[in-house]
Amino acid sequence: MDIIDKLTEIFKEFPGIGERQAKRFVYFLMARTPAYAQNLSELVLELKKEVTQCKECFRFFLLNSKKEKLCEICANPNIDSSTLMIIEKDSDLESIRKSGVYHGKYFILGGLVPVVEKTTKSRVRIEELKQRLSAPKSDLGEIILAFSISPQGDHTDQYVREQLKDIAEKSGIKISSLGKGLSTGTELEYSDNDTLKNALKNRQ
Ligand SMILES: [Zn+2]
């Protein structure tokens, strides 16, 4: 594999990027100055140094001077801790947060469960989620599953419901899904405020 193939393979792993686009990125980089490439590679390294993952919701956030372990959502005492929204990824959290329609806590599952999948547990944070739910002195009353409206999203919804069934029953936690107000193929991260507001209102 030459350098072009190697870089193409890396860009292909980016969300929503296929082979052709990945190649275009490589040719774009070839045409830039060495200083451009230097700056890009330094920023990528810096990103990894300056970002950490919240130990409660697993969201990535910029480290502050106090080197806190919790992000500003989880550390905020005014956040409504009676609802927990389970989402696929960081960008979904940002969209919902920006829409201002939801004021509870979050948990990032870290992916969706493919319809045909044998090694699910290694890909999504289901064990971490169970652990979080078993924390004592919780006032959690509802878990809202908020995944994309797609076969994978539906499958993940069912999978998480099944996995949490016992804990939820034992602790009297209701499990609802955001899906009802959204149309098929909807990606949460691209939904507008009204759509999200409706979906949240009509959750079942
Ligand atoms: Zn957090």
Side-chain angles (χ1 to χ4, degrees), residues 9-198:
E9 284 306 305
I10 289 175
F11 286 128
K12 261 168 69 185
E13 287 170 22
F14 282 45
I17 301 302
E19 171 104 32
R20 273 178 67 168
Q21 282 163 308
K23 268 238 151 84
R24 282 174 66 195
F25 288 177
V26 179
Y27 283 104
F28 171 79
L29 285 175
M30 276 185 213
R32 310 308 285 195
T33 61
Y36 183 92
Q38 179 84 27
N39 186 38
L40 176 67
S41 52
E42 277 168 10
L43 282 175
V44 173
L45 289 173
E46 216 172 292
L47 181 69
K48 289 308 292 180
K49 269 188 223 143
E50 291 188 13
V51 159
T52 191
Q53 205 167 15
C54 175
K55 70 179 176 66
E56 205 173 290
C57 70
F58 291 92
R59 166 178 180 243
F60 287 104
F61 68 102
L62 284 174
L63 271 171
N64 56 21
S65 54
K66 288 186 236 152
K67 300 258 185 289
E68 272 159 334
K69 297 238 165 40
L70 293 180
C71 73
E72 79 264 25
I73 302 175
C74 295
N76 182 352
N78 300 321
I79 288 283
D80 171 18
S81 56
S82 69
T83 51
L84 179 68
M85 187 179 278
I86 319 287
I87 49 207
E88 178 199 344
K89 54 190 187 295
D90 287 70
S91 46
D92 291 339
L93 189 154
E94 290 312 321
S95 310
I96 292 168
R97 196 177 174 211
K98 262 197 212 122
S99 76
V101 299
Y102 174 73
H103 308 283
K105 294 216 162 198
Y106 296 93
F107 183 90
I108 298 177
L109 198 60
L112 292 179
V113 183
V115 179
V116 185
E117 174 69 67
K118 289 193 178 79
T119 52
T120 300
K121 284 195 176 173
S122 59
R123 298 181 51 151
V124 299
R125 299 186 188 105
I126 196 73
E127 292 308 318
E128 289 88 338
L129 177 58
K130 285 180 184 171
Q131 215 166 14
R132 170 152 174 188
L133 295 180
S134 59
K137 280 201 281 179
S138 158
D139 62 346
L140 183 63
E142 184 180 356
I143 291 170
I144 304 169
L145 304 177
F147 305 118
S148 300
I149 309 306
S150 64
Q152 259 196 53
D154 291 345
H155 187 241
T156 309
D157 187 291
Q158 280 168 23
Y159 173 78
V160 175
R161 272 177 189 270
E162 214 164 276
Q163 291 287 320
L164 300 185
K165 204 175 152 224
D166 289 349
I167 304 174
E169 262 171 27
K170 216 165 64 188
S171 325
I173 300 168
K174 181 185 163 196
I175 301 180
S176 62
S177 301
L178 200 67
K180 295 288 167 189
L182 299 168
S183 48
T184 307
T186 301
E187 291 271 357
L188 281 185
E189 78 183 283
Y190 306 122
S191 297
D192 58 65
N193 291 7
D194 284 342
T195 309
L196 288 174
K197 198 187 265 177
N198 273 328

